[in-house]
Amino acid sequence: MKYPPNTSDFLISEVAELYNAEIQLTLALPNVQRMFASTFLEPLLSGYLRSGWNNASQLGLAKKMLAHDDCNEFSDCMTLLIDECQEACGIPIRHVRITSLLSCLQRINYFKLAIYENTHGLSRLQGFSEVSAILGRLLGRELTFREKLTQASLHHHAPVGLREHQTVSLSR
């Protein structure tokens, strides 16, 4: 990673990283989604895919506000995390496959949360109020998704008899 010379350039590079990561994820997620089409994860994955395209669009606006020229490099971290998700799809035992995918999605979520939190705060401190507002909304979406992932994980790991008593809403 090249280190930016100042915090403004750092902010720009982090927003670009988020943008590229969201694009990468939305391109890869349909393959993962197909593998889990008949499970309770389908609405969760569908919602995350829709959210990812919206996030990328909003980050594109933020990049323009920051006068960032386009960089089409994919995020190395996101590449590794997506590879893990795709490997999880190949696990033959259904319960383990779902557990593994939930774990991979949580890692992706935490990766994105870390950058969203940092860029949101940094943009606010540097006086980029419109960019900060965009990043704040996207951070809120990721926090909501974290809660949905937690609920999905609890639902999946609960004994079968308890699952029918849980009220888990995974779609939005």
Side-chain angles (χ1 to χ4, degrees):
M1 170 183 184
K2 290 183 187 177
Y3 292 99
N6 56 52
T7 54
S8 292
D9 287 344
F10 181 77
L11 173 64
I12 290 168
S13 70
E14 290 287 87
V15 169
E17 169 107 5
L18 273 171
Y19 174 80
N20 292 334
E22 291 285 8
I23 294 291
Q24 230 175 320
L25 186 59
T26 54
L27 292 174
L29 205 52
N31 294 332
V32 174
Q33 187 180 9
R34 279 191 287 280
M35 291 297 299
F36 294 89
S38 61
T39 69
F40 70 96
L41 293 175
E42 186 173 21
L44 181 75
L45 292 169
S46 294
Y48 202 42
L49 182 59
R50 282 190 308 276
S51 178
W53 284 117
N54 186 290
N55 291 358
S57 172
Q58 293 294 304
L59 288 164
L61 290 173
K63 280 175 42 175
K64 286 180 184 174
M65 289 176 194
L66 294 169
H68 180 314
D69 56 343
D70 276 338
C71 172
N72 294 326
E73 289 183 29
F74 278 152
S75 163
D76 292 338
C77 289
M78 186 58 79
T79 298
L80 294 173
L81 292 167
I82 288 170
D83 287 348
E84 284 185 35
C85 281
Q86 291 170 337
E87 286 176 22
C89 292
I91 296 173
I93 302 168
R94 182 179 186 270
H95 186 76
V96 178
R97 184 173 55 243
I98 291 172
T99 299
S100 181
L101 177 67
L102 285 167
S103 178
C104 292
L105 289 173
Q106 286 172 323
R107 282 190 208 102
I108 287 171
N109 180 249
Y110 283 116
F111 165 71
K112 289 170 48 179
L113 273 172
I115 301 174
Y116 275 120
E117 287 176 345
N118 187 48
T119 54
H120 176 248
L122 190 56
S123 63
R124 192 169 13 103
L125 288 172
Q126 292 187 357
F128 295 108
S129 58
E130 291 178 34
V131 172
S132 178
I134 289 171
L135 293 168
R137 283 192 302 275
L138 299 180
L139 173 59
R141 283 187 193 152
E142 284 304 314
L143 289 168
T144 298
F145 188 66
R146 181 179 67 184
E147 182 59 32
K148 289 180 181 184
L149 280 171
T150 300
Q151 291 300 315
S153 185
L154 290 172
H155 171 78
H156 177 62
H157 296 299
V160 175
L162 294 177
R163 287 185 198 162
E164 55 198 46
H165 299 294
Q166 290 179 337
T167 56
V168 178
S169 175
L170 300 177
S171 62
R172 185 162 222 214

